[in-house]
Amino acid sequence: MGMKKIYVWMLIFGLSLAGCAGFEPEPAWQELPAKTSTEDSKTEERESDASVTVDTTEAIETTEMDESEDANTETETSSENAGETESEEEVLEDEVESQIAIATDLHYLAKELADNGAAFQSMLNKSDGMLTQYCWEITMAFLEQMEKEQPDVLILSGDLTKNGEKKSHEELAKRLRKLEQAGVPVLVIPGNHDINSPHASGYRGDSTYSAQQISAKQFEEIYRDFGYKEARARDPYSLSYVYELNDYTWILMLDSCQYKPENKVGGMIQEGTYEWLEEVLEEAWEEGVRLLPVTHHNLLEQTNASEEFIRNCTIEHDERLIRMWEDNQINLHLSGHLHIQHYEKTENEDAPLYEVVTSSLSIYPCHYGILKIMNYGDMYYHTKCVPVSAWAKEHGKNDYNLLHFEEYAKEFLYDISYWSVYNSLQAHGLTVEQSERMAKLYARLNPNFYAGTIPDEKEEIVTDPAYQMWRDSEYFSEAATTIQTMIEEEDQNYNMLYIPY
């Protein structure tokens, strides 16, 4: 494929995040602590910062691209250029062998387990911005979008439910069954929230109560129609399996969770599963097919934003699995778990192994991924946002938040980020003014971090007095490390990736 064609493809799909970039603040749905006087200007300040949302047409990963080509083409193009783009897109679509949709961390909660009471709202306020109050609408909008797009397969890479409630699993499975009936095969693996979870809960008024959880065997029974029944090969030691997408590609759904005898957050691959993997790899090599591995937990260390991201997100002894993939010329691994949009690659420049982490479907900007495998072997990954507002309008919903969902979701994450950091800073004895200014800067950056984008006006940020306050607070605040990582490391758009064969 010519470099012009690669660039045009990246331009086309770089627009996929544009639907999420708009930001007109509205009050968050849940009740939050009353704002102080100087906080009243927060909304006006964010309106003036609307340009902070990334120009998603920026090409972030190219191979041998002519350096004279500008990867930051404006989203508003002339009609002449738009026609050229459509023509190139048609040519590219003719070269697509397979199209795979990837979603992760749905954290679906059965409707009967939730209400709008105090306990439910308290849970929302303590979350990381998860939009559980609209998880049903997000899921329905997403599945209807999948029905329209008709990918060759939909991969759900774990944390299907809020906390492994049996009713949540059963309700979600019913919804997935309708999608399969519409012609889209669905593949699932568990996440750390799905099996033997001690946190399975329901919410009623002021009370949080324990809900029935499920075992690994029950997980397989509930989701038997979503990969397990159609599996080409099954691992006797875990819920891993191989799905034959076509004559050229097999999808390896690899269970990285620890749920025996009890549930753990971190991930690892069992010794018996490694032995099974050797058999799978040998068979794939003999058949001459590409193996595409998927786990819930991360294979590579993605970011230094938090020690927790490494301690409980990366698969234990990941170097062994990395070596297996590299020895068998596997160059792409898919995962979730982090709730942020990201990717990383190994240091082998001649044949790097890439890992793409798709962000949570239930947190702004409600991303899912599209992986296109071309008939000459190259792969292209890009993200799209669930069109919740369009879905709400189409279905005659009158909820203001649903009809303006992209703005609402970002505002919700902003508020959660602001108050979590503000309260922490207050607890460490900072003044109200210091806490407010620092919390604003953090909350301004955090939605971009989740979305896999970061503001490009770094000079403005690092000269903000609040940034220096954060640097001075490193000795007591982990959030300061996150801020530093956002500025120093997260300097590109993680929503697009080209992987050469």
Side-chain angles (χ1 to χ4, degrees):
M1 173 183 288
M3 288 302 107
K4 178 180 178 183
K5 193 175 296 183
I6 291 175
Y7 174 71
V8 171
W9 184 92
M10 301 175 95
L11 173 61
I12 294 168
F13 293 110
L15 294 173
S16 63
L17 189 60
C20 300
F23 182 36
E24 298 177 5
E26 296 292 342
W29 174 83
Q30 88 290 13
E31 295 181 6
L32 292 164
K35 297 180 175 66
T36 57
S37 58
T38 53
E39 173 59 12
D40 291 339
S41 62
K42 177 161 68 80
T43 299
E44 287 79 5
E45 176 180 297
R46 278 174 289 150
E47 288 178 336
S48 66
D49 288 340
S51 60
V52 165
T53 55
V54 70
D55 174 4
T56 56
T57 62
E58 183 179 2
I60 59 164
E61 181 74 12
T62 61
T63 300
E64 301 178 357
M65 179 178 288
D66 185 352
E67 294 181 357
S68 66
E69 292 183 316
D70 182 7
N72 296 302
T73 303
E74 296 295 328
T75 58
E76 294 182 7
T77 59
S78 67
S79 58
E80 179 181 353
N81 289 336
E84 179 182 352
T85 297
E86 291 174 2
S87 174
E88 292 286 356
E89 181 179 19
E90 290 174 4
V91 171
L92 285 166
E93 290 302 320
D94 289 342
E95 299 174 336
V96 175
E97 174 191 290
S98 304
Q99 179 163 301
I100 300 170
I102 308 110
T104 188
D105 295 81
L106 283 68
H107 290 285
Y108 186 87
L109 182 66
K111 275 200 168 187
E112 65 179 279
L113 296 176
D115 61 13
N116 292 333
F120 185 73
Q121 293 192 34
S122 176
M123 176 273 293
L124 291 176
N125 291 339
K126 294 174 183 177
S127 74
D128 60 350
M130 198 176 297
L131 293 152
T132 310
Q133 66 272 37
Y134 288 115
C135 70
W136 314 287
E137 290 84 356
I138 295 170
T139 301
M140 291 303 296
F142 171 65
L143 295 181
E144 287 192 18
Q145 185 65 20
M146 289 296 95
E147 186 173 344
K148 293 175 182 177
E149 293 185 11
Q150 287 288 306
D152 294 301
V153 68
L154 166 61
I155 293 173
L156 302 179
S157 58
D159 279 1
L160 308 178
T161 58
K162 184 71 173 70
N163 277 306
E165 308 84 11
K166 184 180 181 182
K167 290 181 179 179
S168 299
H169 281 297
E170 291 173 340
E171 193 172 293
L172 177 61
K174 288 181 181 179
R175 298 189 186 281
L176 296 181
R177 194 161 288 109
K178 291 180 180 179
L179 180 61
E180 284 217 333
Q181 291 169 353
V184 180
V186 179
L187 307 180
V188 306
I189 47 173
N192 58 287
H193 280 256
D194 290 325
I195 297 173
N196 292 339
S197 173
H199 305 295
S201 302
Y203 306 90
R204 185 183 302 115
D206 296 337
S207 302
T208 300
Y209 61 92
S210 295
Q212 185 177 357
Q213 56 186 246
I214 67 168
S215 65
K217 182 178 181 180
Q218 288 174 309
F219 183 93
E220 182 180 349
E221 290 172 351
I222 293 171
Y223 295 104
R224 63 184 179 276
D225 294 331
F226 310 113
Y228 293 100
K229 187 173 65 176
E230 303 91 344
R232 176 188 176 92
R234 284 290 316 276
D235 174 25
Y237 305 98
S238 74
L239 289 170
S240 305
Y241 61 93
V242 176
Y243 176 83
E244 186 174 350
L245 180 63
N246 52 40
D247 293 339
Y248 312 102
T249 303
W250 295 352
I251 300 175
L252 171 59
M253 301 295 284
L254 185 55
D255 179 8
S256 61
C257 297
Q258 302 182 78
Y259 39 78
K260 299 176 182 178
E262 59 185 15
N263 179 282
K264 294 183 180 180
V265 175
M268 70 171 292
I269 307 299
Q270 298 184 49
E271 184 60 37
T273 299
Y274 274 114
E275 296 174 3
W276 175 75
L277 282 175
E278 293 285 3
E279 298 174 2
V280 170
L281 290 166
E282 182 177 354
E283 185 179 4
W285 185 269
E286 291 174 351
E287 294 288 335
V289 300
R290 180 201 298 271
L291 203 61
L292 179 63
V294 182
T295 55
H296 178 66
H297 295 84
N298 311 127
L299 178 65
L300 306 179
E301 294 182 3
Q302 291 288 328
T303 173
N304 293 315
S306 170
E307 180 64 29
E308 183 70 14
F309 282 173
I310 298 173
R311 183 171 58 249
N312 275 325
C313 294
T314 307
I315 296 170
E316 292 181 23
H317 311 298
D318 56 344
E319 65 280 353
R320 182 177 179 182
L321 197 57
I322 292 170
R323 187 167 60 251
M324 289 183 76
W325 290 175
E326 290 183 331
D327 288 347
N328 287 272
Q329 300 180 14
I330 294 173
N331 63 345
L332 177 62
H333 184 105
L334 301 171
S335 66
H337 191 54
L338 277 184
H339 290 186
I340 64 171
Q341 186 66 41
H342 215 272
Y343 66 73
E344 191 54 78
K345 66 178 180 179
T346 57
E347 296 180 355
N348 184 349
E349 293 300 329
D350 294 331
L353 166 62
Y354 290 87
E355 179 183 27
V356 173
V357 179
T358 302
S359 56
S360 171
L361 195 74
S362 62
I363 299 177
Y364 171 85
C366 303
H367 271 162
Y368 62 96
I370 295 293
L371 179 68
K372 296 196 174 189
I373 303 177
M374 313 307 286
N375 53 25
Y376 44 83
D378 292 4
M379 292 183 284
Y380 299 89
Y381 172 94
H382 71 279
T383 63
K384 300 178 74 173
C385 296
V386 180
V388 178
S389 295
W391 174 87
K393 184 177 181 180
E394 180 182 343
H395 288 270
K397 304 294 182 181
N398 56 14
D399 185 324
Y400 183 89
N401 293 335
L402 284 176
L403 293 171
H404 302 81
F405 191 75
E406 289 71 31
E407 297 88 347
Y408 166 79
K410 187 170 186 178
E411 173 74 2
F412 182 79
L413 180 54
Y414 182 104
D415 282 344
I416 291 292
S417 303
Y418 177 91
W419 287 111
S420 65
V421 168
Y422 176 86
N423 292 332
S424 173
L425 295 173
Q426 283 281 279
H428 281 90
L430 274 69
T431 67
V432 169
E433 181 181 2
Q434 289 174 322
S435 300
E436 287 179 344
R437 294 179 69 176
M438 293 170 70
K440 285 180 183 178
L441 183 62
Y442 179 83
R444 171 186 173 186
L445 289 171
N446 211 33
N448 291 278
F449 182 52
Y450 274 77
T453 62
I454 213 70
D456 56 8
E457 58 269 30
K458 285 190 175 183
E459 185 174 343
E460 176 186 342
I461 294 171
V462 298
T463 56
D464 188 322
Y467 179 68
Q468 186 57 49
M469 292 179 190
W470 274 113
R471 300 199 64 172
D472 294 340
S473 72
E474 286 181 335
Y475 70 96
F476 69 80
S477 177
E478 184 179 348
T481 303
T482 303
I483 291 281
Q484 286 294 101
T485 302
M486 290 177 183
I487 297 302
E488 296 176 4
E489 298 180 17
E490 310 302 314
D491 58 354
Q492 59 187 10
N493 185 327
Y494 288 98
N495 290 272
M496 249 184 329
L497 182 65
Y498 160 57
I499 306 104
Y501 187 55

